[in-house]
Amino acid sequence: EAQYFMGENASNAPGPNDGDGYAARIGYGIGPFGVAVATGNTEFARSLTAGDIKVANIAAFFDFGLFKLSGGYYWDKVESLLPVRGTGYLVGATIPVGVDQVRVSYSSYGTDEIGDPRSRKFAIGYVYSFSKRTVAYATYAHLSNSGGANGALNGSITAPNRSSDGYDIGLRHSF
């Protein structure tokens, strides 16, 4: 997979390339195993807190039959006048319960900014199958921050070093 995208800026605007970028991903899967790597770059005018954003990640899964284990590692960099690097990882599992599923994950993301801000999230959910095309789902997540991080869930706003809880409840039907 590859993509090129253009920011919607007037050609005479400051930073006319803001939002332009590219991304690429390649993956491989065979039987119960899959792996993918991706990279991308988005251009932004350089300032004290903004600049080009470079990203890369790798992820893999293995289906053991009793459960499916997934994991990923990601890296990003904002090339501002004071560059900021971030890294994170995710480990998750999907556990079949008949035709239903229990899903659980743990993730962490932090940057090299002053204080070493880091956010950690734990989530657990259940997917109930009414039929092959209709499911109900519910998920609970808890995010905790340290080092001045202020990550939040579901669009909320959280003060630095505080936590955030979120719930997702829904119904999905595939046509």
Side-chain angles (χ1 to χ4, degrees), residues 94-154:
T94 302
I95 306 155
V97 180
V99 295
D100 303 333
Q101 295 177 337
V102 173
R103 296 179 176 178
V104 62
S105 69
Y106 179 81
S107 61
S108 177
Y109 177 79
T111 69
D112 63 357
E113 293 177 285
I114 295 172
D116 292 323
R118 179 158 296 278
S119 297
R120 295 170 180 85
K121 180 173 73 171
F122 170 77
I124 187 164
Y126 193 81
V127 179
Y128 178 80
S129 297
F130 287 109
S131 68
K132 288 184 178 183
R133 299 185 329 162
T134 306
V135 299
Y137 59 89
T139 304
Y140 165 75
H142 175 80
L143 183 137
S144 60
N145 294 297
S146 63
N150 63 347
L153 296 169
N154 294 343

Side-chain angles (χ1 to χ4, degrees), residues 3-174:
Q3 65 178 334
Y4 176 78
F5 43 93
M6 296 172 282
E8 297 181 13
N9 300 302
S11 60
N12 62 352
N17 294 333
D18 276 4
D20 287 3
Y22 63 85
R25 175 189 177 275
I26 188 166
Y28 176 78
I30 186 166
F33 173 75
V35 64
V37 295
T39 187
N41 183 66
T42 305
E43 296 178 18
F44 289 102
R46 194 174 226 187
S47 70
L48 189 61
T49 59
D52 290 359
I53 300 172
K54 297 183 179 299
V55 298
N57 61 63
I58 184 168
F61 71 85
F62 192 87
D63 191 338
F64 291 93
L66 293 175
F67 65 96
K68 183 181 203 177
L69 184 64
S70 303
Y73 177 81
Y74 33 94
W75 168 91
D76 56 45
K77 180 180 179 184
V78 178
E79 293 186 336
S80 54
L81 295 174
L82 297 172
V84 176
R85 290 175 184 82
T87 58
Y89 64 89
L90 176 132
V91 176
T94 302
I95 306 155
V97 180
V99 295
D100 303 333
Q101 295 177 337
V102 173
R103 296 179 176 178
V104 62
S105 69
Y106 179 81
S107 61
S108 177
Y109 177 79
T111 69
D112 63 357
E113 293 177 285
I114 295 172
D116 292 323
R118 179 158 296 278
S119 297
R120 295 170 180 85
K121 180 173 73 171
F122 170 77
I124 187 164
Y126 193 81
V127 179
Y128 178 80
S129 297
F130 287 109
S131 68
K132 288 184 178 183
R133 299 185 329 162
T134 306
V135 299
Y137 59 89
T139 304
Y140 165 75
H142 175 80
L143 183 137
S144 60
N145 294 297
S146 63
N150 63 347
L153 296 169
N154 294 343
S156 64
I157 297 173
T158 302
N161 300 325
R162 300 295 303 256
S163 62
S164 176
D165 293 296
Y167 304 91
D168 287 329
I169 299 171
L171 184 67
R172 182 179 69 231
H173 181 75
S174 300

